[in-house]
Amino acid sequence: MARRIDVTGAGGVRLAAWEFGDPPKTDPVTDGPRETDGSREIDGPRETEQGPGVLLLHGLMGRASHWASTARWLSERHRAVALDQRGHGQSDKPPRAAFTREAYIEDVEAALEQLGLGPAVLIGHAMGALTAWQLAAKRPDLVRGLIICDMRASALGAASQREWENWFKAWPVPFATLADVRKWFGEDDPWVERPTPSRGEFYAEAMQESPDGWRPVFEPEQMLESRETWVYDAHWEELTQVRCPALVVRGLDGELGRAEAQEMVRVLPRGQYAEVADAGHLVHYDQPQAWRGAIEPFLDGIRTDFKN
């Protein structure tokens, strides 16, 4: 199960966090809320006997529910929380909100503190991975470990931003049915080189029903605004400032090339590398079992250090 916890991000933006696993129990004596991990009760931040908390950060256009499969198995050994970042999922999408790098980073910083989750392992996909390593550089006290999934550290440039602007314009919205969503993003989208059902499922999860059909749960203009704040710059310097153990994961057919991924590992003071075959950019959707196999040994090492 997943329960929603609202937290307040930068500028007062309301963010929806989703905790996977059993909710806090009620103390039979005081009848007040106390946290439990199933074997012992804890006053204050809840970390299981097995390992530290984990915060999952989706990429641009994503939402917390994209992490459901990962979060469920994580919750067996960790307190696992996925965050709907500003402008995404069920978090607020105020038209005048800041969609800067600083705002995204401060949101995660606030979430970790308000949830009592830190120091936590951050698992980020794409833009969420960038936010994760930037926060790890800024607040090492809040981050125990870091998993970077298919996010480049190099600048992508103006041409990339224009491609995204044109891509959004090409979407045939509204979609009449979710089946149409799955087909377009999994087969008909010009960016799809071969039929990819998992990609169709990923985007179907990012849609909501409206009176005239199915539309994205986010505002495309806010996504472009968010992307514009990092697409023109390289982000290698922040990687050098990450002091915790860090795992760089790439899909073999993803957007992060092998040479750049291995250079990121070299630049990270405690970097490690993993690769998932038969996976594209949406590694955790394309190959969920192989994704688990790639990150679980790293998490086991973090958990061992935590227990010691």
Side-chain angles (χ1 to χ4, degrees):
M1 64 172 292
R3 70 181 182 106
R4 174 172 171 162
I5 308 170
D6 284 345
V7 298
T8 303
V13 173
R14 181 189 55 81
L15 306 171
W18 302 88
E19 180 168 3
F20 290 77
D22 293 333
K25 303 293 191 296
T26 299
D27 186 277
V29 177
T30 64
D31 198 33
R34 295 184 67 186
E35 311 244 89
T36 177
D37 63 7
S39 59
R40 62 189 175 96
E41 292 179 335
I42 307 168
D43 292 311
R46 178 161 64 96
E47 289 182 320
T48 67
E49 289 282 2
Q50 297 99 331
V54 175
L55 184 65
L56 298 122
L57 301 174
H58 59 73
L60 192 71
M61 303 181 295
R63 62 187 306 178
S65 57
H66 280 134
W67 289 116
S69 175
T70 298
R72 288 190 185 105
W73 65 259
L74 281 171
S75 68
E76 298 171 5
R77 296 183 175 181
H78 303 266
R79 182 184 177 196
V81 180
L83 181 68
D84 276 334
Q85 296 172 78
R86 60 176 51 214
H88 296 75
Q90 294 190 31
S91 289
D92 281 350
K93 305 167 183 65
R96 294 182 178 81
F99 289 94
T100 62
R101 282 286 79 221
E102 292 74 18
Y104 277 103
I105 295 164
E106 289 172 11
D107 285 348
V108 177
E109 187 176 2
L112 288 171
E113 292 176 336
Q114 291 170 40
L115 293 166
L117 200 62
V121 177
L122 300 184
I123 301 179
H125 174 245
M127 183 191 72
L130 174 60
T131 301
W133 88 60
Q134 289 179 325
L135 177 63
K138 176 187 177 184
R139 290 289 306 273
D141 57 307
L142 288 177
V143 185
R144 193 183 298 274
L146 175 67
I147 297 178
I148 298 167
C149 180
D150 216 70
M151 180 60 187
R152 299 178 62 182
S154 58
L156 301 179
S160 173
Q161 188 72 352
R162 287 194 298 270
E163 288 174 358
W164 273 68
E165 291 171 359
N166 292 332
W167 180 55
F168 275 129
K169 293 175 183 176
W171 289 19
V173 291
F175 294 91
T177 68
L178 279 179
D180 293 326
V181 174
R182 294 185 182 98
K183 185 175 186 301
W184 198 83
F185 286 101
E187 300 178 26
D188 300 337
D189 183 350
W191 283 12
V192 175
E193 295 181 357
R194 61 180 183 273
T196 310
S198 60
R199 190 174 187 270
E201 292 296 337
F202 182 92
Y203 282 96
E205 183 67 21
M207 298 289 160
Q208 61 185 352
E209 192 170 16
S210 61
D212 60 351
W214 291 83
R215 294 180 176 273
V217 71
F218 51 82
E219 296 293 336
E221 294 79 10
Q222 292 183 347
M223 299 300 99
L224 288 171
E225 185 179 347
S226 298
R227 193 173 188 272
E228 191 171 18
T229 65
W230 53 264
V231 72
Y232 301 114
D233 301 314
H235 305 283
W236 295 97
E237 183 177 355
E238 295 101 320
L239 285 176
T240 67
Q241 299 167 1
V242 174
R243 299 302 170 189
C244 64
L247 176 68
V248 177
V249 184
R250 66 177 291 268
L252 194 61
D253 299 316
E255 296 178 8
L256 175 62
R258 180 178 290 156
E260 182 169 352
Q262 292 178 344
E263 180 63 12
M264 290 169 66
V265 171
R266 189 192 68 78
V267 166
L268 284 159
R270 301 173 67 183
Q272 302 177 38
Y273 177 74
E275 191 171 274
V276 178
D278 299 319
H281 179 58
L282 306 174
V283 182
H284 52 305
Y285 252 64
D286 290 343
Q287 297 292 340
Q289 290 305 314
W291 158 251
R292 178 173 180 171
I295 71 172
E296 200 162 28
F298 176 80
L299 291 168
D300 287 344
I302 298 289
R303 189 169 61 252
T304 298
D305 291 343
F306 168 72
K307 291 171 69 175
N308 293 335

